[in-house]
Amino acid sequence: MAENPSGLWWVLVLVGLAAGILSSSLGVGSALVVIPMLVLVLHFPQKSAQGMSLTMMVPLALFGAILYWKGGHLNVAPMALVLLIAGSLAGAAVGAAVADYLPAPVLRKVFAVFILAVAVWMLVDPGQKPSSEAVGDIQPRKGGVEQ
């Protein structure tokens, strides 16, 4: 499948559809859907699947962000976005180097453990909001904290 995806083009469309729905509705990265489907179902190599997921991220995230903004849900201080973007760009460089260094089977296990760890954390965390002292000047604008 990895060499000639045209035979099951509809599977790729469905994977993309699922990634778009989950990304926009839950705010999760498409990697949670795309990478497991490409690796486990369509038998793409791990690193190819990760690269495809990253390539999808730009248009998917931009489109989702525009829709959230139009819906009035992107009520954050602009500096918070600038800092998140700066950190993520630096992190992308480091992460790409780490992914290039690690063998694909190890990378696959690290990905799976990360997903499990985040899932457990979200299940047990009470979801308390940080105090204004904890976030300093980088707070949601008025009306930006959703209940």
Side-chain angles (χ1 to χ4, degrees), residues 1-129:
M1 178 62 192
E3 295 78 27
N4 183 13
S6 63
L8 291 175
W9 62 269
W10 56 274
V11 177
L12 293 172
V13 171
L14 289 176
V15 169
L17 179 65
I21 290 169
L22 289 172
S23 292
S24 293
S25 63
L26 300 178
V28 299
S30 60
L32 291 175
V33 174
V34 173
I35 293 172
M37 291 300 292
L38 291 178
V39 171
L40 300 174
V41 176
L42 300 174
H43 308 292
F44 278 77
Q46 180 74 28
K47 292 182 182 184
S48 293
Q50 289 182 201
M52 290 174 73
S53 177
L54 288 169
T55 304
M56 291 173 56
M57 186 186 312
V58 173
L60 181 63
L62 183 59
F63 186 64
I66 290 169
L67 294 176
Y68 267 72
W69 173 73
K70 287 177 79 174
H73 303 292
L74 195 57
N75 299 322
V76 297
M79 184 53 72
L81 290 174
V82 168
L83 293 171
L84 283 170
I85 291 167
S88 64
L89 290 174
V94 173
V98 169
D100 192 41
Y101 173 77
L102 291 176
V106 173
L107 197 55
R108 181 175 169 174
K109 287 178 176 62
V110 168
F111 179 74
V113 168
F114 175 75
I115 291 172
L116 284 172
V118 171
V120 169
W121 183 13
M122 291 195 72
L123 285 170
V124 299
D125 186 88
Q128 296 175 341
K129 293 176 179 50

Side-chain angles (χ1 to χ4, degrees), residues 127-140 145:
Q128 296 175 341
K129 293 176 179 50
S131 68
S132 60
E133 295 83 31
V135 292
D137 292 333
I138 302 172
Q139 310 175 37
V145 178

